[in-house]
DNA sequence: TAAAAAATTTAGATTAACCTAAAAATTGGT
DNA sequence: ACCAATTTTTAGGTTAATCTAAATTTTTTA
């Protein structure tokens, strides 16, 4: 299977969109995340369908075939392992690695990626808490829930983010909301959904927006 | 300067061809190393000339401009640093790294490559003995000479190769002719130019072909 | 120094990945 | 159940990087 850079990006994004909302992925949704136009997406879906990488019926959206999904997961594995490398070995911050990993994820060598995995000690998650598929394409995701779903008195460990923008990640860094910290819910303000946390022995307020995008393992 | 994968390969190969034989690089020579056709090369040279990356006159071959050379050297720096990474950190053998580095050399991030350089402890040469340009694009190459230029009684340190094929590199590995070994010239056979070496206390015969492609620092 | 040979360029196509504008299908509100 | 809004597809380009075949220029050789 020799896929182009572009084809790999289509498969990866179909996977992510389907993962988030479990239904056929729409042409427009893909055009949006791929920064392209719906007409271009239609063209590419026909081509991917021809190659049996996606199930596509006109006007019905698209899903990945078994093979398409395997390819998508391989790309995601590469993306996340490179992110770990950049953070752990090259001292990048978690908000700096995504764009570089977008390029590195297309490097084509199974041996390379498996050696990298080994070099990094077979990490289970990437710097954003996202699970890393193993070499057989098995992706086991721990069930994480947003802080906004917790009740007063609940506690948990910061374990992931829903939103991956550098903006948001830098905000979390600055306010000490980093992966691995444990927190308690002190109070939930009805008025605007903001939440008072106890973290590192100090009280700290976060907005509903932030509470929605910060993921906890309980 | 945002160059395509293809443009970078043209610049890099013009640099290498010009480095080896110091004259304008011919269309056919480029077509050969780039695995393409002369007509395609002509098209691209016009485009690179338009962008002021090469000096090109119809029928006269091509050289790099200052800017073109800087770009070429950046690509070469990336290629060689990645090769060091693959050998030193991921335990690849020196005959396995070139093709992967051909892909990695196009990853676009100055920060990444400088961090990698640091992570590797600012290596001076790659696994094949080729010099690595520094972050300012300064490439200082030690003068190496092929074994075939030595006389009986001369000695030296194996320090590089002229030919980079996996075939040749594996042969050198197998016969113990690896970088860093010192050798003495015991005898030169007039008939076929083959050379008897003393290496690691043992005598060993190599063909003229091998002697031509194995480089020594004296 | 004029052919012949070799190298190079031009002309005219092709392919992948895009685009805009217009047409067709689906969906959702009444 | 219809119509209007929305979504998606089709039609007809474009651009970068290729190609083959033919034309042109340079180089070599006799
Ligand atoms: Mn990422
Ligand atoms: Mn990530
Ligand atoms: Mn190489
Ligand atoms: Mn090398």
């Amino acid at each position: 299977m020799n896929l182009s850079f572009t084809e790999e990006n289509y498969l990866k994004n179909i996977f992510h969109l389907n993962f988030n909302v479990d239904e056929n992925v729409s042409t427009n949704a893909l055009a949006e995340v791929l920064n392209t136009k719906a007409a271009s997406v239609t063209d590419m879906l026909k081509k991917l369908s021809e190659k049996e990488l996606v199930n596509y019926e006109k006007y019905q959206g698209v899903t990945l075939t078994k093979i398409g999904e395997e390819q998508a997961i391989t790309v995601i594995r590469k993306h996340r392992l490179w992110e770990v490398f950049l953070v752990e070995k090259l001292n990048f911050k978690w908000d700096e690695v995504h764009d570089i990993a977008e390029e590195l994820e297309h490097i084509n060598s199974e041996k390379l990626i498996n050696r990298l995995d080994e070099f990094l000690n077979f990490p289970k998650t990437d710097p954003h808490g996202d699970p890393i598929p193993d070499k057989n394409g098995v992706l086991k995701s721990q069930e994480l829930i947003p802080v906004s779903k917790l009740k007063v008195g609940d506690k948990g460990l910061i374990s992931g983010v829903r939103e991956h923008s550098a903006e948001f990640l830098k905000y979390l860094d600055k306010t000490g909301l980093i992966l691995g910290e444990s927190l308690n819910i002190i109070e939930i303000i009805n008025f605007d959904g903001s939440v008072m946390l106890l973290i590192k022995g100090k009280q700290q307020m976060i907005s509903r927006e932030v509470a929605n995008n910060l993921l906890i393992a309980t």
Side-chain angles (χ1 to χ4, degrees), chain A:
Chain A
M1 193 74 42
N2 228 337
L3 302 176
S4 71
F5 191 104
T6 308
E7 289 169 325
E8 287 192 341
N9 280 335
Y10 270 81
L11 296 177
K12 181 185 66 169
N13 282 291
I14 293 167
F15 183 91
H16 284 316
L17 288 170
N18 183 252
F19 194 85
N20 290 339
V21 299
D22 194 24
E23 56 186 24
N24 285 14
V25 173
S26 76
T27 302
N28 270 355
L30 266 174
E32 164 99 40
V33 296
L34 289 165
N35 244 294
T36 182
K37 296 296 149 75
S40 308
V41 172
T42 300
D43 279 355
M44 180 59 92
L45 292 183
K46 284 183 192 161
K47 190 175 134 199
L48 293 173
S49 179
E50 201 54 54
K51 294 191 177 188
E52 313 218 38
L53 294 163
V54 303
N55 307 114
Y56 170 63
E57 298 282 354
K58 262 196 203 182
Y59 294 102
Q60 302 313 133
V62 74
T63 58
L64 294 174
T65 62
K66 192 82 196 59
I67 306 173
E69 184 172 290
E70 281 167 21
Q71 296 296 317
I73 287 176
T74 298
V75 176
I76 291 166
R77 170 170 159 81
K78 292 192 280 180
H79 183 104
R80 293 180 179 167
L81 281 173
W82 280 117
E83 285 190 343
V84 174
F85 169 72
L86 294 172
V87 167
E88 303 272 301
K89 303 294 182 179
L90 300 194
N91 297 114
F92 279 86
K93 303 208 217 75
W94 71 340
D95 56 277
E96 298 176 313
V97 298
H98 182 76
D99 292 348
I100 301 175
E102 285 291 307
E103 295 189 48
L104 286 165
E105 73 188 7
H106 301 290
I107 301 292
N108 234 316
S109 165
E110 207 175 312
K111 192 165 190 173
L112 168 61
I113 206 64
N114 291 335
R115 289 283 178 92
L116 182 65
D117 195 12
E118 190 185 345
F119 181 59
L120 298 171
N121 256 172
F122 306 104
K124 294 277 169 294
T125 59
D126 84 359
H128 313 102
D130 294 310
I132 297 173
D134 70 17
K135 71 158 70 171
N136 303 310
V138 177
L139 193 166
K140 57 183 75 152
S141 48
Q142 196 188 358
E143 201 52 56
L144 301 183
I145 54 174
V147 171
S148 55
K149 285 267 164 57
L150 299 178
K151 303 278 166 262
V152 170
D154 287 352
K155 59 167 105 177
L157 230 76
I158 300 180
S159 304
V161 291
R162 223 183 214 168
E163 153 82 35
H164 289 68
S165 70
E167 194 82 4
F168 181 54
L169 299 177
K170 273 190 266 197
Y171 162 82
L172 294 178
D173 256 357
K174 199 167 55 193
T175 56
L177 298 165
I178 60 180
L179 294 202
E181 288 297 339
S182 70
L183 53 74
N184 295 55
I185 308 296
I186 302 297
E187 190 185 354
I188 298 169
I189 311 296
N190 262 328
F191 170 62
D192 63 356
S194 59
V195 181
M196 179 63 85
L197 308 172
L198 181 67
I199 179 164
K200 281 201 169 178
K202 283 187 185 155
Q203 293 208 358
Q204 184 172 327
M205 184 72 97
I206 61 174
S207 71
R208 163 187 278 145
E209 189 78 0
V210 170
N212 270 331
N213 287 291
L214 190 59
L215 301 174
I216 297 301
T218 50

